[in-house]
């Protein structure tokens, strides 16, 4: 039964370009309940932050708790953030620049709020909840619309000199490859993100390749999701299977580059694409990584898919809230 | 004048495929003197270790010191090493496998000996002597016959889970590029190492390009060294200049990948190629890095060439010896 005299609970928020997820956790980081809102970024930062606050309040209420029982809220936001000042500096897929997230949410919620970059937050959640903080060095690769990363070095989250470490999606792996949104050519993200996979499928269909997906969604592949791709592969769609396998091979090369450089105990893959297509992609990722990691450097490296899925963000945000208040 | 009653001095050894360098340092890490031997790896590990011991003794004697005044010897060796057990596990360019370096040298010298990988050692020397241990996060890129790296993370040397971190020479930057000795295609090393630059020059000349180098060394470019390349460029050799510039551009891409991933304060380049061609390469390296680092992530990152040159190894080895005995 909920103890309503002390602030024993934490809320973790995952603020994304399309949805807001708020999860309530007890002091042992066990999930109590969660609420999901759509982000509606087009309404502007103030409206989005109002939605975040409401999502948090609703989640607390759904768990039969009172806001007075929440010790802190952690929030992961996409893009460049300044955790010290509680600001999102630049978040292209929210259309945000210099937004005082913490100040705004603390005013609305009257609870301490702590902000971090969403990839660092996911890494934190996976490290604590899934890996039980055991390995000392971990590389997290999060594949969704884009690709981001998180690092654990010597048992601590590593964010670099200006808090921007982990941008592994823009690691150039093919100098002469296709152009990336960032301006470079042949970034990892160009080959393996959800957008990259979608683009390759659309272009294959345009070139006359036959795919289950057109039967499922129509010629223009309206509302294509990663889950549809999984379904198509399971129905024997060789065109889609090959495209996903290629994305997995590129991912393996990125994994190898990171293992050669950082010699971690664990490489963990997460994000929407891995959640939907992990079973399809992981064997090819591991195979490609193994064949690209330097001889002798593969021993003791585990390459795994996170099981936390969508909950990595809210879990990590709750870990942040706990760490900042204990 | 040398105080010959206490062990106030340190020796740092840089064991390479072609030469052995032993440097004597005082307790404040100021260099006192150094001796150079050729390695003669073809004579086998025992003969090489005898030469290392003799090189150390000679260096001590040259400095008018006695072995009793040396507190410890540090040694950097190429390839995979096991510092804990004092063994070189695998060093292809010495032809060594499982060689008990520390045991052998301690027996011959009767001083404590400490072993590390040569790239980690160079990073340590540059970090302490040149950067005064000020930046918290540093990436070191050492370009010689091959390319290796060293990392400083949160003010400490970072060597990963199995002591193999820093293998940035085998970061794939062109998946469809030329084959590397490691088995992969398009490793950074294939584009920017001394061997890569030499190979490109030889192939250009074979294809009929005119170069100052053939006048300097003959058609077969016998005994070509990095210094000859510098001379040729200064004499206006456009063919060689372009090849070196291309190597610098690839190096800039590798720098960008590392900055995006690790967000260091300093990227320092060293090794024989940079020592000989730093003036020629650094502007192009910096330009290429800048244009490949993600927007906003370049601020506060310094990209510099080490001034320690050949002394980085012996200095770092002396730092290791000091750190292990104090």
């Amino acid at each position: 039964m909920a103890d309503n005299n002390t602030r024993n609970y934490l809320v973790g928020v995952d603020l994304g370009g399309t949805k807001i997820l708020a999860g309530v956790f007890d002091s042992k980081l066990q999930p109590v309940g969660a609420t999901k809102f759509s982000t509606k970024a087009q309404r502007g930062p103030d409206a989005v932050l109002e939605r975040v606050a409401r999502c948090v309040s609703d989640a607390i209420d759904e768990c039969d708790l009172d806001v007075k029982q929440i010790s802190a809220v952690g929030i992961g936001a996409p893009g460049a953030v300044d955790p010290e000042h509680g600001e999102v500096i630049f978040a292209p897929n929210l259309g945000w620049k210099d937004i005082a997230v913490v100040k705004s949410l603390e005013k609305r919620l009257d609870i301490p709020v702590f902000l971090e970059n969403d990839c660092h937050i996911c890494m934190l959640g996976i490290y604590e909840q899934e890996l039980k903080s055991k390995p000392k060095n971990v590389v997290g690769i999060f594949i969704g619309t884009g690709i981001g990363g998180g690092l654990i070095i010597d048992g601590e989250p590593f964010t670099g000199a200006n808090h921007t470490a982990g941008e592994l999606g823009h690691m150039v792996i093919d100098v002469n490859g296709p152009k990336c949104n960032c301006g470079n050519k042949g970034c990892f993200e160009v080959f393996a993100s959800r957008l990259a996979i979608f683009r390759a499928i659309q272009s294959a269909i345009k070139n006359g390749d036959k795919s289950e997906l057109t039967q499922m969604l129509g010629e223009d592949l309206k509302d294509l999701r990663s889950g549809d791709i999984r379904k198509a592969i399971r129905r024997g769609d060789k065109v889609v299977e090959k495209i996903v396998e290629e994305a997995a091979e590129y991912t393996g090369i990125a994994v190898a580059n990171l293992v050669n450089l950082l010699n971690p105990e664990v490489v963990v893959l997460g994000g929407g694409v891995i959640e939907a297509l992990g079973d399809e992609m992981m064997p090819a990722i591991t195979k490609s990584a193994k064949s690209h990691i330097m001889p002798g450097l593969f021993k003791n490296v585990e390459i795994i898919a996170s099981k936390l899925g969508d909950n990595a963000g809210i879990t990590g945000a709750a870990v942040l809230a706990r760490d900042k208040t204990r």
Side-chain angles (χ1 to χ4, degrees), chain A:
Chain A
M1 212 188 107
D3 166 6
N4 54 12
N5 289 317
T6 47
R7 292 185 180 273
N8 270 337
Y9 295 86
L10 300 153
V11 176
V13 179
D14 183 7
L15 169 59
T18 53
K19 67 171 195 295
I20 301 160
L21 200 59
V24 180
F25 294 81
D26 69 16
S27 58
K28 289 186 174 121
L29 286 170
Q30 291 308 302
V32 184
T35 297
K36 195 198 285 195
F37 276 28
S38 56
T39 305
K40 304 206 186 292
Q42 72 282 6
R43 294 191 189 170
D46 205 57
V48 169
L49 289 168
E50 191 274 327
R51 295 178 71 75
V52 170
R54 197 142 47 82
C55 188
V56 169
S57 303
D58 285 7
I60 296 167
D61 184 60
E62 277 297 321
C63 297
D64 293 317
L65 294 171
D66 185 273
V67 72
K68 290 194 174 61
Q69 292 169 270
I70 309 298
S71 61
V73 175
I75 176 165
V81 304
D82 175 349
E84 210 181 317
H85 298 96
E87 291 179 8
V88 167
I89 299 166
F90 183 51
N93 57 354
L94 287 171
W96 288 13
K97 235 191 131 204
D98 298 321
I99 303 298
V101 170
V102 165
K103 207 174 142 190
S104 160
L105 289 178
E106 285 187 342
K107 208 166 142 188
R108 290 174 213 261
L109 290 165
D110 202 23
I111 325 173
V113 175
F114 302 94
L115 174 73
E116 246 300 357
N117 162 273
D118 56 355
C119 286
H120 295 160
I121 281 279
C122 281
M123 184 73 261
L124 202 60
I126 291 170
Y127 186 59
E128 166 112 12
Q129 198 79 317
E130 200 166 353
L131 304 175
K132 310 291 174 202
S133 307
K134 276 184 193 156
K136 291 196 74 178
N137 304 296
V138 184
V139 174
I141 303 176
F142 305 110
I143 309 183
T145 315
I147 298 180
L151 303 172
I152 300 287
I153 302 272
D154 275 334
E156 297 288 337
F158 178 75
T159 59
N162 302 307
H163 212 80
T164 65
E167 278 294 359
L168 48 83
H170 297 281
M171 175 164 59
V172 174
I173 58 175
D174 184 1
V175 277
N176 300 307
K179 196 135 192 178
C180 178
N181 286 333
C182 77
N184 287 338
K185 283 182 190 168
C187 295
F188 169 29
E189 183 168 303
V190 167
F191 299 105
S193 68
R194 181 188 291 125
L195 275 179
I197 294 171
F198 283 12
R199 217 182 289 125
I201 292 172
Q202 275 156 339
S203 131
I205 289 173
K206 213 174 257 175
N207 290 333
D209 282 339
K210 294 269 169 271
S211 164
E212 295 282 330
L213 288 170
T214 50
Q215 289 172 29
M216 289 161 60
L217 305 166
E219 282 298 326
D220 59 351
L221 301 185
K222 205 171 175 299
D223 295 327
L224 176 62
R225 286 153 175 266
S226 305
D228 300 321
I229 294 176
R230 185 184 53 223
K231 274 181 219 152
I233 293 175
R234 293 195 180 165
R235 288 183 193 176
D237 188 327
K238 291 294 169 199
V239 171
V240 169
E241 186 179 86
K242 185 159 176 277
I243 286 167
V244 168
E245 202 169 293
E246 274 174 14
E249 279 165 20
Y250 278 101
T251 304
I253 291 170
V255 169
N257 280 355
L258 294 161
V259 168
N260 287 339
L261 180 68
L262 295 173
N263 181 214
E265 287 99 323
V266 179
V267 177
V268 59
L269 291 114
V273 169
I274 296 296
E275 197 179 0
L277 293 162
D279 290 347
E280 283 70 25
M281 290 177 79
M282 286 306 291
I285 290 173
T286 307
K287 190 179 163 204
S288 164
K290 260 191 184 172
S291 86
H292 286 92
I293 290 170
M294 285 193 69
L297 267 57
F298 186 71
K299 64 173 181 183
N300 307 330
V301 184
E302 264 190 285
I303 302 171
I304 58 171
S306 168
K307 289 184 184 73
L308 277 184
D310 239 11
N311 292 327
I314 54 172
T315 307
V319 172
L320 176 75
R322 183 204 59 190
D323 290 352
K324 291 288 182 185
T325 47
R326 72 172 171 189

